[in-house]
Amino acid sequence: MSQFLSNCSADVLATAAQALQDGRLVAFPTETVYGLGADATNASAVARIYEVKGRPSDHPLIVHIAELKHLELWISDIPEYAIALARNFWPGPMTLILKRSDLANDFITGGQDSVGVRVPDNSLALGLLGAFHKLGGAGIAAPSANRFGQVSPTTAEAVQEELGNYLTDTDLVLDGGQSAVGVESTIIDCTRALPRILRPGAITIEMIEEVSGLKVSDSTGQKSEDFKEEDIRVSGSLENHYAPKAKVLLDQQPVISSGFIALDNIETPDGVIRLAAPKSVEEFARVLYSALREGDHQSLDSIYIAQPTGDGLAIAIRDRLSRSAKGR
Ligand code: TXA
Ligand code: MG
């Protein structure tokens, strides 16, 4: 069992940064979901991430950095449009995939010649990254802090529930309350002439097109012709992912005693257990994963979800839901 730290002061963050430096794991909040962090230059610490998550070791990890300046440590080349995206949306829920530097080892990139990097928009995450940088740390590798294939945690309690049995008492979990966005970052492949979305998130196609002035291709919904699965490995793009124990059913009439998640303006059918009634698409994203967890806490067999329609963040929500509906 790990140590659970609430009220994270500068002292606590310095201790956590030292723990990373010593090769231990530190789970921390970000604005999207909680991450399970390790020193991104420490092969054995990173190996423990894979062990604790139960994740195949050829899946690449995102490197988290404190500020745009530190990007040059991790990459060897960057197109103009990616600089514009980083300037506009960092700190924020966006991961850029770029040509890697020598510092980005195979144990981070899964052997690919690209690396995923982001600056998270969360004060604890930035405090931890800043403290780690002061100790000479180059970046923190962090996947979502859940067991492989399961629902990402959006609270420190959910991290404990997912990984408590796998972490040791020298590992830390930092409690920063509920993640503000609630779904994982938008992943943008910036290794080609045009940006390509590999995983939709809160930074939307419209936002990327506006800032870059370029047409964005989307490999997530209807695959564009140039998308080849073998090109790039995004474990979040596996079909069965983000799955609770309960069966997830989309846009169908809920049966009695099942769970139900829908926007506030949709009524709860008789005999059905309402797990969330968000008032906006943003709130839908923020509460979705904890509502799925709540369904499992109540040992429900099935959870029915009325998906939000439209563009923007709704695309990311439907992307995750279509995968969780595929089950485990
Ligand atoms: O919001 C997020 O991105 C959260 C927080 C903790 O930052 N992290 C996260 O990490 O979702 P993870 O490992 O659960 O998902 C990251 C995805 C994986 O599917 C991985 O395959 C993909 O990013 N990825 C990382 N590096 C990549 C690369 N070089 N090329 C293609 N995909 C990459
Ligand atoms: Mg994940």
Side-chain angles (χ1 to χ4, degrees):
M1 203 46 129
S2 58
Q3 291 176 54
F4 194 90
L5 302 174
S6 306
N7 303 318
C8 297
S9 60
D11 279 357
V12 170
L13 293 178
T15 306
Q18 187 59 53
L20 289 169
Q21 190 76 314
D22 295 343
R24 285 140 62 184
L25 301 186
V26 177
F28 62 96
T30 82
E31 80 283 32
T32 58
V33 300
Y34 275 65
L36 177 64
D39 176 353
T41 63
N42 182 331
S44 56
V46 170
R48 277 203 59 227
I49 290 184
Y50 286 95
E51 235 176 81
V52 167
K53 273 190 66 94
R55 172 168 165 161
S57 60
D58 60 348
H59 285 283
L61 298 174
I62 296 172
V63 176
H64 297 67
I65 54 174
E67 49 185 306
L68 175 55
K69 236 180 22 208
H70 304 163
L71 183 60
E72 62 188 26
L73 294 170
W74 293 100
I75 63 157
S76 55
D77 191 26
I78 184 165
E80 281 297 322
Y81 71 79
I83 297 173
L85 292 174
R87 288 214 175 107
N88 271 274
F89 298 126
W90 280 348
M94 176 184 77
T95 297
L96 300 181
I97 307 292
L98 294 157
K99 287 255 176 315
R100 70 171 170 181
S101 70
D102 291 342
L103 192 63
N105 269 295
D106 284 348
F107 59 79
I108 291 293
T109 67
Q112 303 183 79
D113 61 2
S114 63
V115 61
V117 187
R118 90 176 185 103
V119 181
D121 185 15
N122 172 282
S123 58
L124 274 191
L126 289 171
L128 177 66
L129 285 161
F132 187 54
H133 184 72
K134 267 196 201 150
L135 296 178
I140 302 177
S144 53
N146 52 278
R147 293 281 289 171
F148 185 63
Q150 304 197 18
V151 177
S152 298
T154 51
T155 63
E157 290 77 16
V159 173
Q160 203 75 338
E161 184 181 299
E162 282 284 327
L163 303 180
N165 291 337
Y166 304 92
L167 295 170
T168 69
D169 55 10
T170 59
D171 298 322
L172 306 177
V173 177
L174 305 184
D175 181 4
Q178 196 188 29
S179 292
V181 174
V183 294
E184 302 80 358
S185 62
T186 306
I187 300 182
I188 310 170
D189 176 11
C190 302
T191 61
R192 304 170 180 212
L194 294 177
R196 198 165 57 127
I197 297 186
L198 300 180
R199 181 176 72 182
I203 301 297
T204 62
I205 300 183
E206 295 74 25
M207 292 160 83
I208 299 165
E209 290 190 337
E210 192 184 327
V211 163
S212 67
L214 298 170
K215 187 92 197 106
V216 174
S217 65
D218 179 356
S219 68
T220 54
Q222 296 305 325
K223 281 175 192 158
S224 64
E225 317 88 83
D226 72 334
F227 177 62
K228 298 195 196 72
E229 300 262 3
E230 64 271 20
D231 273 1
I232 213 143
R233 273 188 298 266
V234 185
S235 72
S237 73
L238 292 179
E239 293 227 310
N240 53 347
H241 231 73
Y242 313 103
K245 293 192 186 70
K247 188 166 174 42
V248 171
L249 296 123
L250 304 177
D251 304 325
Q252 296 174 38
Q253 187 59 29
V255 300
I256 266 180
S257 300
S258 62
F260 185 52
I261 301 171
L263 282 166
D264 186 47
N265 60 1
I266 302 175
E267 272 183 37
T268 312
D270 285 345
V272 164
I273 299 147
R274 189 66 175 248
L275 295 169
K279 291 193 175 53
S280 63
V281 171
E282 285 70 30
E283 190 185 345
F284 202 118
R286 186 155 57 241
V287 302
L288 175 61
Y289 289 162
S290 50
L292 293 175
R293 278 179 194 284
E294 179 54 28
D296 281 348
H297 290 159
Q298 297 191 28
S299 305
L300 302 180
D301 290 333
S302 50
I303 301 174
Y304 286 76
I305 304 177
Q307 301 191 87
T309 54
D311 296 341
L313 191 52
I315 293 177
I317 294 172
R318 293 197 301 271
D319 169 70
R320 305 307 191 275
L321 286 177
S322 68
R323 297 175 205 284
S324 47
K326 300 253 163 54
R328 297 221 178 143

